[in-house]
Amino acid sequence: MKKFAGLGRFAAATVILSGIAFGSAAQAQEISDEQMKAARAAVAAIGATAQFDNILPGLAERLKAGLIQDSPNYEDVISATVDAQALALAPRRADLEKEAATNYAKAFTLEELKAIADFYSSPVGKKLLTDGPIASRETNRAADIWAQGIARDLQKNASTELSKVIKVEPAPQTAPAGDQPPANTPAPAAKP
């Protein structure tokens, strides 16, 4: 019975200490208003959520297409209703912006967020956002060509060096079709 009481006190102490540790970790995750403002500026500057702009319109178009297929006589009513409902949901886009800013605020310091926003708001930062993907695509294409050349040369060079060490018996050569003896002529005897 005493073992269980000691075990219970140990478990309680563990729970209390872990609560203190997790509590201080949660406090470390608190985000100041200034950091959130800087995070929103950084998210806006890099266009972190721009790729999600077409989600709601895309969902609305798919829904309309499906409903119209089921009830083609009500196309106008379906389109108007789905569009109205999509517009009613549009303000929820702000939730995504807030979540993105929160994630950036957790990942970067206030100074880093300001530097990110400053850089990507500059002409060079804007150019990087627009032309960076093109440069990356071209770099990937060049890397593919480079890798093919390296693979070819590696195979050729390794084969050349290995041929000096590993002697491969040549495959028996067959005579060209015009040089074969007639079918009724015996083949020459093999040399011993």
Side-chain angles (χ1 to χ4, degrees), residues 26-175:
Q27 288 177 347
Q29 291 293 332
E30 287 185 29
I31 300 166
S32 70
D33 290 339
E34 186 179 11
Q35 190 173 7
M36 192 64 161
K37 182 180 175 185
R40 285 182 184 272
V43 166
I46 63 174
T49 59
Q51 61 185 329
F52 309 118
D53 287 347
N54 293 324
I55 290 177
L56 182 56
L59 292 171
E61 288 304 314
R62 280 191 299 225
L63 179 59
K64 284 192 280 190
L67 293 172
I68 290 169
Q69 185 175 1
D70 292 341
S71 303
N73 294 338
Y74 296 95
E75 181 175 353
D76 293 340
V77 173
I78 290 170
S79 290
T81 302
V82 172
D83 288 345
Q85 294 304 311
L87 285 173
L89 292 173
R92 288 178 52 184
R93 179 67 161 77
D95 296 341
L96 179 59
E97 296 295 324
K98 181 180 179 186
E99 189 63 32
T102 301
N103 291 333
Y104 274 75
K106 288 178 181 178
F108 299 99
T109 66
L110 178 62
E111 293 75 26
E112 290 168 337
L113 291 167
K114 288 179 178 179
I116 290 168
D118 289 344
F119 174 74
Y120 284 102
S121 295
S122 73
V124 172
K126 289 177 182 179
K127 184 168 177 63
L128 178 61
L129 289 173
T130 58
D131 295 346
I134 295 166
S136 291
R137 184 178 61 239
E138 293 302 317
T139 300
N140 287 337
R141 187 175 296 147
D144 287 342
I145 294 167
W146 175 82
Q148 289 172 8
I150 290 294
R152 177 197 64 230
D153 293 346
L154 175 62
Q155 196 276 329
K156 178 185 168 208
N157 295 347
S159 293
T160 300
E161 289 301 312
L162 288 171
S163 70
K164 296 174 185 175
V165 178
I166 302 172
K167 300 296 181 195
V168 178
E169 292 293 322
Q173 294 183 349
T174 58

